[in-house]
Amino acid sequence: MGTRLYVGNLPFSASEDEIRELFSQNGRSVSEVKLVTDRDTGRPRGFGFVEMGSNEDADGAIRD
């Protein structure tokens, strides 16, 4: 079971693929990326969640 990380202060132009690529550096496993959008407008809200494949991967992402 992985660890879900809150990621804030994201640019509104960031995509889930870009965030996945960033967090998967150094061979880390990313299970899921979810960027939160406004339900009325559909625009990004500037934060999201990244679920890492393991606790070690999450710790490494936090340290970097």
Side-chain angles (χ1 to χ4, degrees), residues 11-58:
F12 296 126
S13 62
S15 71
E16 290 184 1
D17 290 335
E18 292 171 331
I19 301 301
R20 179 180 299 276
E21 184 179 322
L22 181 68
F23 276 80
S24 64
Q25 291 177 355
N26 299 324
R28 293 188 194 100
S29 173
V30 175
S31 302
E32 180 181 14
V33 176
K34 177 65 178 157
L35 297 181
V36 178
T37 57
D38 185 276
R39 69 178 136 186
D40 294 329
T41 64
R43 292 187 293 189
R45 304 235 2 237
F47 69 94
F49 300 91
V50 177
E51 185 164 339
M52 304 300 292
S54 68
N55 290 337
E56 293 79 21
D57 287 340

